[in-house]
Amino acid sequence: MGFHPSESLLKLSLALLCIMQAKGQVSFVGLPDTVTLLQSSTRGTVVYTFTMENCNSTNPTVTMDASPTTNFFNTPSLIIAGLDYNIEITLSSTVALNADVVNQYILTITATCDNETVFNQLFVMIKNDIVEPQCEPKFSSQAGDTVTVYSNIPASSPIYKVVLRQPNNAPVTYSIIQPSPSVFAISTSGSVLSPTSGFTNAAKTYQLQIKVTDSLGNSCNGTLTVEVLPVYQNPINFTVPSTAVTIRENAGPGAFVTTITAQGNNVQYEMISPNSAYYINADTGIIRTTFNLDLERIPSLASTTLQVRAYDKNLRSSSAIATVNITVLDVNDMAPLCTPAVIVNQVPQTTPIGNILATLTCTDPDVNSTALSYSVISNANSLYSFRMQSNNLVVNNTLNYDSAEIASVNFQYSATIVVTDSGTPQLTTNIPVFITVTPVNNYSPQCIGPLTYSVNENAPFGTVVGQLNATDADYKFNNVEFTIEGGQNPPVFYMDPKSGEIHVLGPLDFETRSSYSLRIQVVDLNNDIMPDPVNQKSTYCTITINVQDYNDNPPVCNPPYYSTTIYSTLVTTSNILSLQCTDVDPTSTLTYSIVGGNVDNLFLMNGNSIRHNPFSYNPDGVYNPVSFTLLVKVTDSTSSPQFSTTAIVNIDVVPWTTTQPTTTTTTTTPEKKTKIVNETSTYWQPDIWFMVVLTITAALLLLALSLLAWKLATGNPICGNTATEATQPLLQNKSVANVENPLDAAKEQPPPPSKDKKDIAPVSPLSLQFDGRAQDPVTGREYLFNSHTGERRWL
C-alpha cells in the first residue's frame, strides 16, 4: 500500500505559508512540495533543497520527522545564503529504498529561529527503476533446485520448468551454459527436456547451469540437479492377505493396533481407503490410532475394515493389497452422570430424622451401562447427620444449629455423595452437598447466680448494684433481654435490658426499708430465622437487694432537757441521771461528752450516765455553785460521717453537812483542757432565677417592714399579743432561774402540766445548742439564744 499526499492538506499548507510570508514571519520557500526518488538511489543523493526566509538568528535549528519512521534520510543541513538559509536533505548511508514495500515518505521539517517556530512537509515518492528478470530464489541459489526421474522415462520428456518471478522485457531466452554441450535440451518456454537418446538403466546425477536473458540483455542464472534412478524388477506380495485385530478403546492417540508385512525390496505401505481413526507407517507397516478411540462419542468405531497397499518405492506399479479388520472393545471409562451436580438446600434445625433432603437422578453413560450404588462421606461437622436411601439423601441425626462448631462454618453441613458404577475398573462421581440449617427457638433462658445483692443506702443515682446473668442455649448464645416485672411506686431500681446490670434509680433509706424483692423477666431475642414474638421464650427469677445501713441520721435524746436535784453528799460512784438517747441507724454507737457548763470539771460522763466529782461548800473556803446547766454532746460515730446532738441537763446541788467531823482536805483543781468543737455549716448556692425571686421578695419584705415601723410609731398594735406574752421559755420542765433557798428548792415539786397550755412545737436538733427561746418585739420573729455565749439563731 502506498502513501499519497492529500490535496486539501497541500492547499492548507500553501495558505499558511502565504499568511506567514505576508506577516514577515519565518517561512519555508518551496514547501510543501512533492519529489520523486528512484529506488536505486544511493547514499548522499540530494533529495530536496529549499530556503528559510526571515530568520535573523545566528544559530537556528532544523529537525525532521519521517512517516513511516525510517533512518534513510540525513538530518537537514543549513547553508547561509545572504540573509536567508538554504536547507538540504540527502540520503543516509543506511538507505535501502524499495518501492514494493513503501512507495511514499512524508517528511515533516521543523525550524526554530529565536523564539519563533515554523514547520512544513515534503512528500517523497519512490519509483521502481529495476527491470532485469528475477529467477526463483531456490533455482537461483548456490545449491540450486533438484529433480528426480527414472531411467525409463521417455526421450525428450519435460522434467523441469524454469519460472521467472518478474518476466519483464519479453521475449526471454533460455540456454544451458554448462555443461556445454549438454545431453539435455531446454525449450523456448523454459522446460528442461530429457536426452533424445534416453537414459541408461543406472543411477546417475547431472548438474546443469541455465541462463535466462531478456530482450535488453539483462539476465539471471540458476542451477538444476537431475538425479536419474534405475528401474528394478521387484515383485511385492502379502503372505497373509487378510487379518483381524481386537483392541480396547481409550488407549490414547498413537496406540499400537497391528503390523502388516509384505515380501519384497524397498517396500512402502499406504492405506487405499483412508480412515481418520488410523494411520500406517509407510516404512514399517505398523498401524496406529490417530486419536483416542471413544465408543461413547463415536459408536461406529466398534468395527472398522482397512485396505492396505504395499508397493516398491522405486516402481509403484509393483504392489499388493491386504485387508485388516479392527474390532474396538468398550472400556468402563465414563463415570456416572448425576442431576443435580451439586445439592444446596436450607432446612430448619427441627427437621425430623428420615426427612428427604434431595433426590439424585444418575445414569452410566458407558456403552455397557452398569448398576449404580450410593454412599455418603461426611466431614467432622456433618458426621452421622445424613444417610442414603437408594438415590435419596435423608436426615440421619438431629441437625443442631445451637453449636459453636456449626456456627464457625455459617451453620452449613457439608458432605459428599459418592455414586459408583459396577464396571471394571469402577468409576465414581462425587456430588457435593451443602445443607444450611436455619434456627428455631427451642430453649428458654435460665437465670444464673447470684440472686442476692447489697447496696449502701447512700448510693447515688445510677450506682450499679449488681448484674444478673442469664444463659440461653439457643444461638446466638445468651442473647436475652431483662425487664423488672411488677410495680415499684415510685421506682427505686432500673435494670439495663441488654447487660442485666441493676442500677439505683430512687433514694434508698435503710430505716424505711431494708430489703427489696424484684421479679425479673428474661426474654430471649432473635432465635428464629425471622423474629417471631409468638415463639419467643421467657423465664422469671426473683432477686433480693439488701440495703446496707449508712450513718445518715443524728441521735435523738428523749427528752432533750433534763433537770434534777441532788445532795452534795451523793457518792461520786452513783449516777446522777442517765440520758435516754437513741439513733435510728442500727450500726451507730453513741458516745457522750460534756461540752459546756461543767464548772471546775465537777461532772463527768460514765457511758450515758452523769456522775460528779466531790463538791466543796466551805463558807470559809471554796464554795462551789449550787446550780449547773450542763451541755452534753451525743455523737453517733467516731469516723465520718458523724452526727451529733446536744442535751441540756440542769442539776441543782443541795449543800449538806453530816455529823461527821470535818477534816481539812486539800482540793486539787484539775487542769482544764481546751476542747475544740467543730461546727459544719452547710450552705447552698441558688440558681440565677432564685436570686431574682429573692430580690423581689426582699423588696416586698422591706415594704412590709416600713409599714410595720409606721404602725409602731403611731401606736397602733398590729396584733392582739404583746411582745412579752409572745416570749416563751425554752425549757418547759424546769425554770433555769437560780434558787435562793436550796432547801426550799429541793422540796419544791414541779407544777403539773396545764391542760390549757398549747403543745410546744417540736424542737429541731439544731436548737439543742441553745438554752432559750424568745420573740423579737420589732419583727415578731422567734429566735433561739444561748444564755452563756449570747449567740442567736432565727427560727
Side-chain angles (χ1 to χ4, degrees), residues 103-135:
N103 63 0
Q104 176 181 282
Y105 292 94
I106 301 175
L107 306 181
T108 302
I109 299 97
T110 303
T112 302
C113 184
D114 291 334
N115 294 326
E116 190 173 357
T117 301
V118 63
F119 68 91
N120 219 315
Q121 291 180 323
L122 176 65
F123 301 90
V124 181
M125 307 295 295
I126 309 300
K127 181 180 180 181
N128 189 352
D129 58 342
I130 300 176
V131 295
E132 69 271 9
Q134 295 183 10
C135 297

Side-chain angles (χ1 to χ4, degrees), residues 19 136 166 187 189 230 369 378 399 405 441 551 556 572 620 650 662 673 769:
I19 294 173
E136 284 293 328
Q166 191 170 345
S187 68
S189 63
S369 180
S378 304
L399 302 179
E405 291 77 9
N441 194 3
N551 188 18
V556 176
T572 57
D620 298 326
N650 290 326
T662 60
K673 295 182 180 180
Q769 300 177 7

Side-chain angles (χ1 to χ4, degrees), residues 107-337:
L107 306 181
T108 302
I109 299 97
T110 303
T112 302
C113 184
D114 291 334
N115 294 326
E116 190 173 357
T117 301
V118 63
F119 68 91
N120 219 315
Q121 291 180 323
L122 176 65
F123 301 90
V124 181
M125 307 295 295
I126 309 300
K127 181 180 180 181
N128 189 352
D129 58 342
I130 300 176
V131 295
E132 69 271 9
Q134 295 183 10
C135 297
E136 284 293 328
K138 186 175 182 181
F139 174 73
S140 61
S141 65
Q142 184 176 1
D145 204 355
T146 302
V147 63
T148 302
V149 297
Y150 286 102
S151 61
N152 61 351
I153 189 173
S156 300
S157 297
I159 61 174
Y160 186 81
K161 183 176 177 61
V162 179
V163 179
L164 298 179
R165 296 180 59 193
Q166 191 170 345
N168 296 333
N169 304 320
V172 178
T173 59
Y174 302 88
S175 60
I176 299 175
I177 58 176
Q178 283 187 5
S180 182
S182 174
V183 296
F184 295 92
I186 189 166
S187 68
T188 57
S189 63
S191 296
V192 178
L193 305 177
S194 62
T196 55
S197 60
F199 296 108
T200 60
N201 192 18
K204 193 172 182 179
T205 301
Y206 301 89
Q207 191 173 58
L208 307 179
Q209 292 289 330
I210 300 174
K211 182 178 181 180
V212 183
T213 307
D214 63 9
S215 61
L216 299 179
N218 299 314
S219 63
C220 66
N221 297 334
T223 303
L224 177 63
T225 300
V226 180
E227 294 181 353
V228 180
L229 301 177
V231 176
Y232 298 98
Q233 298 297 325
N234 182 25
I236 303 296
N237 60 78
F238 287 100
T239 56
V240 180
S242 179
T243 183
V245 179
T246 300
I247 63 175
R248 290 185 176 275
E249 67 169 340
N250 293 329
F256 175 80
V257 178
T258 188
T259 301
I260 60 172
T261 305
Q263 293 180 345
N265 298 322
N266 302 319
V267 178
Q268 296 283 293
Y269 301 91
E270 66 177 0
M271 289 186 182
I272 297 177
S273 55
N275 189 292
S276 61
Y278 305 95
Y279 71 93
I280 189 170
N281 188 300
D283 295 324
T284 62
I286 298 175
I287 299 176
R288 295 182 181 274
T289 59
T290 305
F291 53 84
N292 184 49
L293 305 183
D294 189 352
L295 294 180
E296 287 74 29
R297 188 168 58 90
I298 310 176
S300 61
L301 294 177
S303 178
T304 303
T305 299
L306 302 178
Q307 284 189 327
V308 179
R309 175 188 289 120
Y311 63 92
D312 185 348
K313 68 177 180 179
N314 297 323
L315 186 62
R316 191 176 183 84
S317 60
S318 178
S319 63
I321 297 175
T323 301
V324 179
N325 296 314
I326 303 174
T327 301
V328 180
L329 301 179
D330 179 55
V331 175
N332 188 32
D333 59 345
M334 299 289 288
L337 295 179

Side-chain angles (χ1 to χ4, degrees), residues 296-436:
E296 287 74 29
R297 188 168 58 90
I298 310 176
S300 61
L301 294 177
S303 178
T304 303
T305 299
L306 302 178
Q307 284 189 327
V308 179
R309 175 188 289 120
Y311 63 92
D312 185 348
K313 68 177 180 179
N314 297 323
L315 186 62
R316 191 176 183 84
S317 60
S318 178
S319 63
I321 297 175
T323 301
V324 179
N325 296 314
I326 303 174
T327 301
V328 180
L329 301 179
D330 179 55
V331 175
N332 188 32
D333 59 345
M334 299 289 288
L337 295 179
C338 295
T339 303
V342 178
I343 295 176
V344 179
N345 200 354
Q346 180 174 293
V347 296
Q349 68 177 114
T350 54
T351 302
I353 296 175
N355 188 70
I356 297 177
L357 300 176
T359 300
L360 290 176
T361 302
C362 299
T363 58
D364 187 355
D366 280 308
V367 174
N368 300 323
S369 180
T370 59
L372 303 178
S373 60
Y374 302 85
S375 61
V376 175
I377 298 177
S378 304
N379 61 14
N381 291 327
S382 63
L383 191 62
Y384 308 123
S385 297
F386 310 108
R387 59 186 170 88
M388 294 299 298
Q389 285 183 350
S390 182
N391 61 331
N392 296 320
L393 177 67
V394 300
V395 178
N396 186 60
N397 201 355
T398 302
L399 302 179
N400 186 16
Y401 180 91
D402 308 311
S403 165
E405 291 77 9
I406 195 64
S408 65
V409 293
N410 296 324
F411 310 100
Q412 188 178 79
Y413 287 81
S414 302
T416 302
I417 299 176
V418 180
V419 183
T420 308
D421 62 17
S422 55
T424 303
Q426 286 187 328
L427 298 180
T428 61
T429 296
N430 295 335
I431 308 298
V433 177
F434 303 99
I435 304 297
T436 301

